[in-house]
Amino acid sequence: MEEYYWDSKIDYLSSTRGLYYNDDYIEFLVKAVWKINTPVHLIDFGCGTGYLGLKLLPLLPKGSMYTGVDAGIKLINRAKEIFKDLPYKTEFIVSDIQNIHLERKYDIAICHAFLLHMPNPTEVLKKMIDCVVDNGRIICFEPHWISNMANYHINGHDQSSLIQLGLLQKLFETDASREGKDGNIGIKIPVYLSQLGIKNIECRVSDKVNFLDPNSELENTSNLFNSLSEDGFGAVPSEHETFIRKLVDRGANHEEARKQYENELLLSKIFKNNIFLTYAPNMKITFGNVDRS
């Protein structure tokens, strides 16, 4: 039986999530924006190892419960291990989101960097909505890749020498039209939710800005450098002809593909833990209320 892809990415998931949020901003959302002041039952679609549960449960009223659903057996086992000695009420379900049937009993349905991997994200959103009680809430933490790519700065280098934003936007859009999986979905979710009947929709942007500072403590610099590396930033590109062929197959012309190879090769050479780098992921956080009246 073929291994579930994300079961092999536990280390990646564990080491990269800190790039996207400041804890105080999540606390601000829970207490000042969502104003959650009574116990709630959350369900997390594509929960992985329970990252959102770890972030949210300490901030929620006592008595709240977290249910995580994921198709990865290893992911769910790791989540159970992480939560087993924590003072929270949790349950974890191994299931393919595409096939699962859920009762309408949850106060909040959430997901994190999940819908971008779905070929039918609006159908998944419908499932999220259907399992939420009347006047419950949907919350989606999802990326907008092109804004991510526009928000890197490496001191001493023009961004255009490292990143072709126009080409990347074209590739992202082409991939989405071919496969349905959309790395830019974060900025589109407000529209999708409105079309599905959700009310009081808002979209926020995470305030996290990562700063790789060679003048800071070595441990901090090393941790951030390792997280960025694990996230794929500065990776050495594949063999030249293979790289070119794959980009051309995705819709780039030969000159665009050649330039992208040069960009990525240069970035892989200069990306060291002794450079100044700032990176703002701009994760989009969209939420609204289920109103069936």
Side-chain angles (χ1 to χ4, degrees):
M1 182 176 178
E2 185 178 354
E3 182 179 30
Y4 179 62
Y5 174 79
W6 290 103
D7 270 342
S8 66
K9 294 293 183 179
I10 291 177
D11 290 342
Y12 159 78
L13 293 172
S14 300
S15 64
T16 59
R17 291 302 175 253
L19 295 171
Y20 298 106
Y21 309 100
N22 290 310
D23 288 345
D24 56 0
Y25 187 71
I26 294 179
E27 182 176 12
F28 164 74
L29 290 173
V30 170
K31 296 182 178 180
V33 178
W34 301 329
K35 298 178 181 177
I36 302 173
N37 49 31
T38 58
V40 291
H41 188 175
L42 297 87
I43 181 167
D44 186 357
F45 279 58
C47 67
T49 60
Y51 170 81
L52 280 182
L54 281 176
K55 289 294 182 184
L56 294 173
L57 283 171
L59 304 171
L60 295 173
K62 188 176 180 179
S64 293
M65 180 174 176
Y66 172 81
T67 295
V69 182
D70 203 288
I73 296 174
K74 292 181 180 178
L75 290 167
I76 292 296
N77 287 340
R78 176 66 65 87
K80 290 179 179 178
E81 181 69 21
I82 289 171
F83 282 87
K84 70 176 184 178
D85 295 323
L86 297 179
Y88 306 117
K89 188 176 181 181
T90 61
E91 68 172 349
F92 294 95
I93 302 169
V94 178
S95 181
D96 184 343
I97 293 296
Q98 305 283 1
N99 301 320
I100 194 171
H101 176 73
L102 296 162
E103 294 181 60
R104 183 173 291 174
K105 66 177 184 179
Y106 303 96
D107 300 295
I108 302 174
I110 58 177
C111 65
H112 179 269
F114 175 67
L115 295 174
L116 81 158
H117 300 296
M118 295 291 101
N120 55 343
T122 56
E123 293 303 311
V124 177
L125 284 169
K126 288 179 184 177
K127 285 204 170 196
M128 294 176 70
I129 293 167
D130 285 346
C131 75
V132 171
V133 299
D134 291 349
N135 300 311
R137 183 179 278 127
I138 303 294
I139 304 173
C140 302
F141 299 73
E142 293 288 337
H144 180 213
W145 277 352
I146 198 64
S147 69
N148 292 20
M149 301 309 299
N151 278 280
Y152 283 101
H153 169 67
I154 296 178
N155 188 51
H157 296 271
D158 291 333
Q159 189 190 49
S160 59
S161 69
L162 303 173
I163 298 170
Q164 293 185 86
L165 289 173
L167 170 63
L168 293 176
Q169 180 71 22
K170 179 170 75 172
L171 294 178
F172 296 157
E173 291 172 351
T174 300
D175 290 345
S177 65
R178 288 177 177 175
E179 304 172 6
K181 300 177 182 181
D182 187 357
N184 285 326
I185 195 170
I187 203 67
K188 303 172 185 178
I189 290 176
V191 176
Y192 296 158
L193 289 182
S194 181
Q195 292 172 337
L196 292 171
I198 298 300
K199 306 299 182 184
N200 306 316
I201 299 166
E202 295 185 42
C203 187
R204 302 293 180 103
V205 180
S206 172
D207 69 341
K208 180 81 175 197
V209 179
N210 300 283
F211 179 36
L212 188 63
D213 180 5
N215 292 328
S216 68
E217 294 183 7
L218 179 60
E219 181 178 1
N220 294 336
T221 302
S222 297
N223 288 341
L224 178 54
F225 178 80
N226 291 335
S227 293
L228 289 165
S229 298
E230 188 67 38
D231 208 33
F233 188 77
V236 178
S238 59
E239 186 273 331
H240 180 269
E241 291 304 319
T242 301
F243 183 97
I244 298 295
R245 184 175 64 254
K246 287 183 176 179
L247 280 195
V248 170
D249 288 345
R250 290 174 60 194
N253 63 46
H254 193 275
E255 178 58 24
E256 289 172 330
R258 183 195 64 78
K259 183 66 163 57
Q260 185 66 20
Y261 179 85
E262 292 178 354
N263 288 167
E264 294 191 24
L265 185 61
L266 174 61
L267 181 57
S268 71
K269 291 178 179 179
I270 65 176
F271 181 51
K272 311 293 181 184
N273 63 2
N274 63 349
I275 64 170
F276 288 99
L277 178 147
T278 49
Y279 166 46
N282 282 292
M283 186 69 82
K284 304 301 185 286
I285 307 165
T286 305
F287 48 94
N289 298 111
V290 177
D291 182 355
R292 297 187 177 93
S293 59

